[in-house]
Structures are given as C-alpha cells and as structure tokens.
Amino acid sequence: MNFAGSPTKKGRLKMVEENLFFNSSQKYVVLDTETNSLNLVSTLPFEVSWIVADKYSVVEKYDEFLLWKDFKMSSGAAKITGFNKEDYLSKAIDPNIVYDRLSKYLLDPSYVIVGQNIINFDSYVIKNLQKSLGKPVDYSWLKRCVDTRALFIALQRNIKYNQADDFLAWQYKVLGDNDRRIKNSEKYMLDYFEIKHDQKKLHNALYDVEMLYKILMKLLPRFEVPDLAKGKM
C-alpha cells in the first residue's frame, strides 16, 4: 500500500517496519535557501534557514545570512525574496561559518534532509556554496533527501512509490514528468492541507521551513518512504 487508507494487519506491520513516518526517533533537517538569482550555475545564497525536528516537534532553529564580497542581487530575486540590503548587511556573517554550521547536519548520515524543490534548486545552490568556499562538492546527502514538491505532485497524480525502486531516482522522475497544470507551490500545499499560516510571511526562509515541516508531516503518512537515514534505498 502506497497511500493512506485502510491497510490489512499485515500491511500495517509492513508500514511500521519500513515507512519513514513510523520511525519515531528519526531527526529531520528542513532547509531553504534564498538566493541572488535563479541562475543554477552561479547563484549564491544570501540566506540559509533550517530547522532540526523529529516526528513530534521542532527542536532547533537556524536563520543565517551570508556576507559575500561584491554581492549583487538581481531585481527579480529581490522582488521574490523581499531582499532588504540594510537588513542583510546588519545580519550577514562569514559564509564559512554558516557552511560549517549547516554541514554539521547536512553531511551527517543520521539526518533526513527535507526541502521544497530541493532536488532541482537548493541542491545546486549548496553545490555553488561549496565551490565558492573551496569545499569538496558533496552530493551524498541527496540519498537522504525528501523533496516535498515531488511527494505532493505524486499525491496529486496518484503516482505510487515501490520500495524496490531507488527513492531519489523516483523523485527525479516525478519532478521530470510533472504536468505544469498541477499546482505545487508551498502556499497551495498549505491551503490543500488546511494548515494555518500567514501569507505575508511566506518567502521568509525560516517561516517557510517551519511551514514545510508541517506539510512534510501531512505527506509522509501517504507514502511508504524508506528509512533513508538507515541506508534503505
């Protein structure tokens, strides 16, 4: 069974054993990046926010601004993110410090990494961040990644996940085959699951990840996502 319903006793036992949602001790890192452009080759984050959470609650919050030399912001990105230069400069710190804090969670194999369109956007941002700091480009965390956009599209299109398949490859396929008519913005998901939120705060990176955590907990019971942090692919 791949979606929530009324499984048999045998089916329930299988879900408890294999479904990520039923691993009550699992820790999640839900992250979001705000960037200076949409160019995946060169864009850099000026803000990275993430929360650390378990199945029941948020346990840590981080909202970090990165100080870049000769930082340039595209007008389109500034409008989308609500970028304020004075506010940014008052909070921004050495990007190496931010990356060291983030990588402690990102590269720790015990955490499941979660994001909205993290596969097709934030993964490139993180790669650019690593390269700009002279760090090794490390994609290992993608094998522990849950993309809420991929799950929501699959939910809307009734695409089932078979645990015999590679979960990351399945997410790539769902995203690649997406029907553009299917709405999948974070705002739409919040409305769909009837999650109370402040629309004015959306695109505030820390608020976005807090809301995304709530979306994640609505999505996970509907799929037999494997226990990613234990290496079950």
Side-chain angles (χ1 to χ4, degrees):
M1 176 178 172
N2 295 74
F3 293 88
S6 302
T8 62
K9 180 178 180 181
K10 182 178 179 181
R12 286 196 298 270
L13 290 174
K14 180 181 178 183
M15 288 176 69
V16 169
E17 179 183 355
E18 298 181 358
N19 192 327
L20 178 63
F21 180 72
F22 292 100
N23 183 348
S24 58
S25 64
Q26 180 59 58
K27 291 288 183 66
Y28 302 89
V29 174
V30 187
L31 68 84
D32 184 37
T33 62
E34 300 294 346
T35 65
N36 65 337
S37 77
L38 297 179
N39 185 331
L40 295 180
V41 175
S42 60
T43 189
L44 288 171
F46 68 84
E47 181 181 10
V48 181
S49 296
W50 68 97
I51 60 173
V52 181
D54 58 24
K55 180 180 175 180
Y56 306 103
S57 62
V58 175
V59 296
E60 297 177 48
K61 299 181 183 181
Y62 298 86
D63 189 22
E64 306 284 4
F65 290 80
L66 297 81
L67 183 61
W68 299 105
K69 184 179 179 180
D70 301 323
F71 182 70
K72 296 180 180 179
M73 168 69 72
S74 73
S75 58
K79 183 177 181 180
I80 292 172
T81 61
F83 179 77
N84 180 292
K85 188 173 183 179
E86 288 187 7
D87 183 59
Y88 161 70
L89 290 174
S90 70
K91 297 176 180 178
I93 61 175
D94 184 343
N96 285 282
I97 296 174
V98 176
Y99 180 73
D100 287 345
R101 290 172 182 170
L102 174 63
S103 62
K104 182 176 76 170
Y105 299 101
L106 186 72
L107 304 182
D108 184 332
S110 67
Y111 290 94
V112 170
I113 311 301
V114 181
Q116 169 74 351
N117 203 29
I118 192 170
I119 288 175
N120 284 339
F121 185 74
D122 298 276
S123 65
Y124 292 92
V125 177
I126 291 169
K127 177 204 70 175
N128 294 343
L129 173 61
Q130 291 170 333
K131 289 180 68 175
S132 69
L133 299 177
K135 308 289 186 182
V137 174
D138 191 333
Y139 291 108
S140 62
W141 60 272
L142 276 172
K143 297 296 286 185
R144 296 175 279 110
C145 173
V146 175
D147 193 316
T148 51
R149 181 169 175 258
L151 289 189
F152 190 76
I153 290 170
L155 179 65
Q156 294 296 290
R157 297 184 61 190
N158 197 30
I159 300 173
K160 299 181 179 181
Y161 169 68
N162 185 331
Q163 283 204 345
D165 296 333
D166 181 278
F167 183 63
L168 179 60
W170 177 82
Q171 291 182 97
Y172 269 112
K173 188 175 188 303
V174 170
L175 292 168
D177 294 344
N178 181 35
D179 183 337
R180 293 183 178 274
R181 292 173 296 179
I182 295 177
K183 296 180 180 180
N184 50 71
S185 68
E186 184 171 1
K187 170 68 168 64
Y188 185 80
M189 294 183 199
L190 289 167
D191 290 338
Y192 179 90
F193 290 120
E194 298 181 340
I195 298 171
K196 292 183 179 179
H197 61 281
D198 185 343
Q199 186 173 348
K200 294 180 181 179
K201 292 183 179 180
L202 294 178
H203 282 296
N204 172 294
L206 185 58
Y207 186 77
D208 281 354
V209 294
E210 291 178 297
M211 293 299 102
L212 200 59
Y213 165 73
K214 295 182 179 182
I215 291 171
L216 175 71
M217 290 301 130
K218 295 289 188 180
L219 285 168
L220 282 183
R222 293 165 165 81
F223 295 87
E224 289 183 8
V225 177
D227 214 346
L228 299 172
K230 292 185 178 181
K232 295 180 181 178
M233 302 300 170

